[in-house]
Amino acid sequence: MSFLIDSSIMITSQILFFGFGWLFFMRQLFKDYEVRQYVVQVIFSVTFAFSCTMFELIIFEILGVLNSSSRYFHWKMNLCVILLILVFMVPFYIGYFIVSNIRLLHKQRLLFSCLLWLTFMYFFWKLGDPFPILSPKHGILSIEQLISRVGVIGVTLMALLSGFGAVNCPYTYMSYFLRNVTDTDILALERRLLQTMDMIISKKKRMAMTRRTMFQKGEVHNKPSGFWGMIKSVTTSAPGSENLTLIQQEVDALEELSRQLFLETADLYATKERIEYSKTFKGKYFNFLGYFFSIYCVWKIFMATINIVFDRVGKTDPVTRGIEITVNYLGIQFDVKFWSQHISFILVGIIIVTSIRGLLITLTKFFYAISSSKSSNVIVLLLAQIMGMYFVSSVLLIRMSMPLEYRTIITEVLGELQFNFYHRWFDVIFLYRPAFRFILMQHLSESPARQSPPCTFSGPDRLCRLAPAGGARNRDSGIGAQRRPLPAKIEDAEAPRRLLERLVRTPETISSKPDEETDDSRA
Amino acid sequence: MASLDRVKVLVLGDSGVGKSSLVHLLCQNQVLGNPSWTVGCSVDVRVHDYKEGTPEEKTYYIELWDVGGSVGSASSVKSTRAVFYNSVNGIILVHDLTNKKSSQNLYRWSLEALNRDLVPTGVLVTNGDYDREQFADNQIPLLVIGTKLDQIHENKRHEVLTRTAFLAEDFNAEEINLVIEKRYFLRDGNQIPGFPDRKRFGGGTLKSLHYD
């Protein structure tokens, strides 16, 4: 009887989560697109629902709600369903939608998507080989095998994202890093942008006029097509078309310049807004928080290094350790069992909520940055896959934050996974990003000032009068470069790279971000 | 050459609806082979004989300013875009017939572009709600173009076209002399094609656009 009640509670909560995932999908992710394939929405919401149910079961475990056997049953069922979705359904649908985008393979969609899925399974299986994940005495399709692999991928993702966050967060929050931007700077850049556009227009007018006169005179400007055409164009070429190609090259360079100027102006506006925001109360509060958070991030990096260097994995969780300290050193006596339950509940609850929220925000940003109307389905499914794997692995890692008596259910259900391995792996990947950035900083502070594109074109172009760039104004190089005053020169053509940087910078931290939900910074 | 008058026309719309392809087709008489994301603004020029064949024939340069980005961008990007909206003679609003949201966003696009002119301080004062009154004294001609008609299935075409008929009417102003607004449906074959398909629409003929 109690089993039925428990099951109904679980099912109601699952339906609630499903509804929430559905709403999130419609309101946030697919804000600008039309949902044509409802399958995608259903899969996303189902993944979300089952992942949240896992967390809910952990909470129930701590609080002691529901019957223990029914909890165990639901754990198993939940895990099976999630693995089914993550390993079988989502990859298959990803393959299916990728294939449907390609015109050629449209007829045999199913066949090719099955092929893609089999390739995915092969690589997924091979993933487990280099890692000392589990003992070989388990069968092929057991839960442990699948979870171990999913866990590896998920932990990698978690660590990468946390690493990003730990390094980017102080920069984002603290106004220490903000350059000083005045209105005159912005106006000057805008004027330059408009001047560049005018130059482009005048050149294009020349081109259009030339083409028109050529057309009227009867010469047709043919692009060299085919092998013979290319040979012919080497020897004979109308003077008009030669002129055109020259002007076209100049126009291309100018367009590149205009793109850079546009991005820089947008940057300046964003910085100006941040400066204004930092003067408000909210801004000051976040600035203050930023200091604490930076210290926390630095501590985390430090601990990760220590863990790796000294080959140590924490045995006790923070709650028990905290209680031990208070009881032993501070001499405060209180009911250990009672408090440990509540504190661990709060701690685990906070971790879960902030990680879910952080992940959803990051996913939204990623989605806005990458997707287009053609690929939106594929990207949403990829995000659902990432989300599922992330949640599964956070269950693995959360185990460390819980006191011993609550770890049992996870250990029971997940079998004999080597949990320590996952923590070690997390530390390694987590350190990758700060180490990478550190090396990058070193490299950039040594590199000489980069030059702007040389004046390759002749003519009365004002571009040639611009002086070469005065140093690497690079986003990634820490404090030193940010404090330099805004250089009034142009850097070399790296607009695509800046775009990429913009995309790369968007996955903000995963743990405890108090803001960042309002503007979708999609330059 | 510079003595010819210039006409500045904005081409606005959501990402991926086909603005760059449209502009390229209008100006180069060719289909754009590899469309990529427009960063900032790309301009193209078309020489146009206004009232061709009549005694008042005059040649103009039509500058098509194809502004990239989405209507929900960060406000810093919007402020940067606003620098392109100065002294505009006409606006072309492009939406994707296969994507309903892009049609709805056209209201916000037009508000963004028009308010820039009406409010000299450059601050967007609306919260994005559509209000027909704001178009009442609009002097700038608007043209609404729907793309990718060929990608819509035959039996759905009717409802899509009725929906866009309402959309186009909403932008219309009362007097036909001052504000002229037309609808062009991109049909396959003899008019401006939808998203480029080189084999089918290699040398599509162009329909000229008149603004007055």
Side-chain angles (χ1 to χ4, degrees):
Chain A
M1 189 55 208
S2 63
F3 180 71
L4 279 177
I5 300 181
D6 294 342
S7 306
S8 52
I9 297 181
M10 291 305 300
I11 292 186
T12 342
S13 56
Q14 272 174 355
I15 295 181
L16 268 175
F17 288 134
F18 180 83
F20 183 72
W22 186 273
L23 271 179
F24 172 74
F25 184 91
M26 269 201 334
R27 293 287 168 78
Q28 287 278 84
L29 279 187
F30 256 46
K31 227 170 34 167
D32 294 327
Y33 300 106
E34 210 179 312
V35 182
R36 256 166 282 143
Q37 314 264 17
Y38 278 102
V39 166
V40 174
Q41 197 166 1
V42 167
I43 291 184
F44 184 85
S45 314
V46 164
T47 318
F48 184 75
F50 278 102
S51 317
C52 287
T53 319
M54 272 198 309
F55 285 129
E56 191 193 14
L57 281 170
I58 293 184
I59 299 272
F60 282 171
E61 182 69 28
I62 295 182
L63 286 183
V65 176
L66 300 189
N67 208 353
S68 132
S69 57
S70 54
R71 274 202 305 254
Y72 183 70
F73 170 76
H74 277 284
W75 256 114
K76 277 272 183 200
M77 190 189 75
N78 218 351
L79 222 46
C80 288
V81 170
I82 262 219
L83 283 178
L84 202 74
I85 297 179
L86 283 184
V87 176
F88 293 106
M89 278 185 64
V90 177
F92 175 74
Y93 272 110
I94 291 180
Y96 179 76
F97 282 115
I98 290 182
V99 167
S100 3
N101 269 341
I102 308 178
R103 289 268 183 92
L104 292 170
L105 308 172
H106 206 68
K107 304 290 166 124
Q108 295 106 350
R109 271 184 296 200
L110 276 179
L111 176 66
F112 278 102
S113 42
C114 284
L115 278 176
L116 268 178
W117 183 76
L118 286 171
T119 333
F120 164 78
M121 281 308 288
Y122 174 72
F123 281 113
F124 185 70
W125 213 254
K126 279 290 173 200
L127 191 63
D129 289 346
F131 296 108
I133 309 186
L134 45 81
S135 39
K137 61 181 166 114
H138 286 105
I140 274 271
L141 266 189
S142 62
I143 290 190
E144 285 83 7
Q145 294 265 8
L146 292 176
I147 281 230
S148 57
R149 286 170 170 79
V150 169
V152 166
I153 303 179
V155 166
T156 317
L157 278 170
M158 273 186 82
L160 275 178
L161 289 171
S162 304
F164 270 123
V167 182
N168 279 332
C169 196
Y171 165 70
T172 321
Y173 280 133
M174 291 164 45
S175 51
Y176 180 69
F177 295 111
L178 280 182
R179 282 193 320 261
N180 212 6
V181 170
T182 61
D183 278 337
T184 36
D185 293 334
I186 298 185
L187 277 177
L189 257 192
E190 277 184 354
R191 218 176 332 123
R192 272 233 301 275
L193 178 59
L194 284 177
Q195 277 172 0
T196 319
M197 301 304 293
D198 283 335
M199 289 199 289
I200 297 179
I201 291 180
S202 58
K203 290 203 192 301
K204 290 219 165 163
K205 282 181 188 169
R206 262 165 56 192
M207 277 171 55
M209 216 33 160
T210 324
R211 250 189 260 122
R212 195 172 132 104
T213 40
M214 272 171 45
F215 183 71
Q216 282 168 349
K217 282 193 216 151
E219 314 164 9
V220 186
H221 174 61
N222 274 328
K223 282 220 176 66
S225 57
F227 185 63
W228 193 238
M230 275 191 337
I231 303 263
K232 268 211 297 197
S233 70
V234 170
T235 49
T236 64
S237 52
S241 61
E242 259 182 18
N243 227 358
L244 279 183
T245 22
L246 266 181
I247 307 184
Q248 182 63 45
Q249 285 173 353
E250 297 175 9
V251 164
D252 287 339
L254 278 178
E255 281 184 341
E256 186 59 40
L257 175 65
S258 77
R259 280 192 280 266
Q260 283 180 55
L261 284 175
F262 182 82
L263 289 175
E264 281 190 27
T265 320
D267 267 347
L268 285 193
Y269 270 115
T271 318
K272 186 168 145 212
E273 274 171 27
R274 275 181 59 198
I275 292 179
E276 280 171 15
Y277 178 73
S278 73
K279 295 193 183 126
T280 65
F281 275 129
K282 240 176 133 186
K284 291 203 173 108
Y285 168 68
F286 283 133
N287 187 25
F288 188 62
L289 271 191
Y291 282 107
F292 276 121
F293 201 71
S294 334
I295 298 180
Y296 172 68
C297 292
V298 169
W299 180 77
K300 249 181 114 171
I301 296 178
F302 182 65
M303 289 309 288
T305 331
I306 297 258
N307 279 342
I308 293 182
V309 168
F310 291 112
D311 197 25
R312 167 186 94 105
V313 183
K315 295 280 188 241
T316 53
D317 56 290
V319 179
T320 319
R321 183 128 28 101
I323 292 185
E324 270 175 19
I325 294 178
T326 43
V327 168
N328 293 340
Y329 293 110
L330 299 183
I332 304 177
Q333 300 289 337
F334 54 89
D335 188 0
V336 177
K337 242 177 110 61
F338 174 75
W339 279 108
S340 86
Q341 182 184 30
H342 279 79
I343 294 180
S344 53
F345 162 67
I346 294 178
L347 183 70
V348 167
I350 292 181
I351 294 180
I352 291 178
V353 167
T354 46
S355 67
I356 292 185
R357 186 180 167 282
L359 181 76
L360 287 183
I361 291 178
T362 310
L363 286 188
T364 320
K365 282 196 183 159
F366 251 145
F367 184 73
Y368 285 155
I370 320 179
S371 79
S372 70
S373 52
K374 275 181 113 177
S375 59
S376 53
N377 284 333
V378 173
I379 297 202
V380 161
L381 285 176
L382 275 173
L383 292 184
Q385 175 94 352
I386 292 178
M387 178 174 72
M389 291 187 164
Y390 180 86
F391 284 149
V392 166
S393 38
S394 25
V395 166
L396 290 184
L397 291 182
I398 246 182
R399 187 184 153 276
M400 186 164 97
S401 311
M402 303 197 317
L404 265 173
E405 56 262 30
Y406 305 123
R407 293 188 196 177
T408 47
I409 196 167
I410 301 186
T411 330
E412 256 182 62
V413 171
L414 295 183
E416 294 171 21
L417 286 184
Q418 299 264 14
F419 291 102
N420 294 341
F421 160 72
Y422 288 106
H423 291 297
R424 172 57 38 76
W425 183 245
F426 179 90
D427 285 333
V428 168
I429 303 282
F430 177 75
L431 267 192
Y432 155 74
R433 171 78 178 147
F436 178 68
R437 183 173 252 230
F438 183 67
I439 297 175
L440 198 66
M441 272 168 62
Q442 295 294 86
H443 173 71
L444 283 170
S445 57
E446 291 165 9
S447 67
R450 284 192 257 132
Q451 305 288 326
S452 70
C455 301
T456 51
F457 22 84
S458 56
D461 288 319
R462 277 170 280 172
L463 189 59
C464 281
R465 288 199 230 123
L466 291 170
R473 189 173 80 79
N474 194 321
R475 239 358 68 120
D476 257 342
S477 55
I479 308 177
Q482 307 298 350
R483 298 290 231 108
R484 219 172 285 166
L486 174 67
K489 332 280 182 192
I490 310 297
E491 302 171 30
D492 50 2
E494 46 168 10
R497 194 173 78 78
R498 307 282 290 306
L499 260 187
L500 195 58
E501 261 177 49
R502 213 161 291 274
L503 293 181
V504 156
R505 258 201 302 145
T506 46
E508 299 284 8
T509 85
I510 282 300
S511 43
S512 74
K513 274 57 43 214
D515 76 319
E516 308 277 73
E517 48 198 320
T518 48
D519 61 336
D520 32 329
S521 48
R522 183 185 187 187
Chain B
M1 234 165 291
S3 57
L4 290 188
D5 285 343
R6 48 180 292 202
V7 170
K8 176 170 165 180
V9 175
L10 283 183
V11 179
L12 299 177
D14 274 353
S15 288
V17 296
K19 303 186 290 289
S20 305
S21 307
L22 176 71
V23 166
H24 195 261
L25 185 63
L26 285 176
C27 299
Q28 319 275 348
N29 285 5
Q30 275 173 354
V31 171
L32 183 60
N34 50 340
S36 63
W37 237 7
T38 317
V39 176
C41 171
S42 88
V43 192
D44 220 339
V45 171
R46 177 179 161 86
V47 181
H48 176 64
D49 295 315
Y50 172 59
K51 288 192 178 161
E52 200 168 355
T54 68
E56 297 121 22
E57 172 178 347
K58 200 167 177 212
T59 318
Y60 282 97
Y61 282 119
I62 302 186
E63 300 165 14
L64 293 161
W65 291 57
D66 160 26
V67 177
S70 86
V71 71
S73 299
S75 55
S76 59
V77 179
K78 282 194 189 163
S79 324
T80 326
R81 276 207 299 250
V83 82
F84 299 127
Y85 298 157
N86 286 321
S87 63
V88 163
N89 299 110
I91 303 182
I92 299 183
L93 297 168
V94 187
H95 69 112
D96 187 352
L97 287 171
T98 57
N99 183 357
K100 240 187 282 184
K101 295 262 173 73
S102 63
S103 330
Q104 291 162 359
N105 284 337
L106 281 186
Y107 296 130
R108 296 163 68 185
W109 273 115
S110 51
L111 283 178
E112 187 180 326
L114 292 175
N115 274 337
R116 180 63 178 86
D117 262 330
L118 297 176
V119 181
T121 58
V123 172
L124 295 178
V125 292
T126 78
N127 57 354
D129 282 341
Y130 170 63
D131 180 11
R132 215 181 264 224
E133 300 301 315
Q134 282 164 340
F135 291 100
D137 58 347
N138 178 31
Q139 306 284 333
I140 305 178
L142 295 173
L143 176 65
V144 177
I145 293 189
T147 56
K148 307 192 198 171
L149 182 66
D150 50 321
Q151 291 186 11
I152 299 185
H153 208 259
E154 282 294 335
N155 41 14
K156 293 223 181 116
R157 274 192 197 181
H158 180 66
E159 59 171 90
V160 169
L161 293 182
T162 19
R163 172 167 56 85
T164 51
F166 285 123
L167 169 75
E169 267 191 38
D170 283 339
F171 286 107
N172 203 354
E174 299 71 63
E175 293 165 308
I176 202 95
N177 295 331
L178 297 178
V179 181
I180 296 205
E181 174 270 303
K182 293 183 194 144
R183 270 188 339 255
Y184 277 104
F185 296 119
L186 306 185
R187 308 182 208 286
D188 22 47
N190 49 357
Q191 291 187 13
I192 310 172
F195 232 88
D197 186 349
R198 218 176 292 178
K199 292 187 280 272
R200 281 159 73 197
F201 308 123
T205 59
L206 240 37
K207 243 201 168 168
S208 15
L209 304 166
H210 296 274
Y211 286 95
D212 271 291

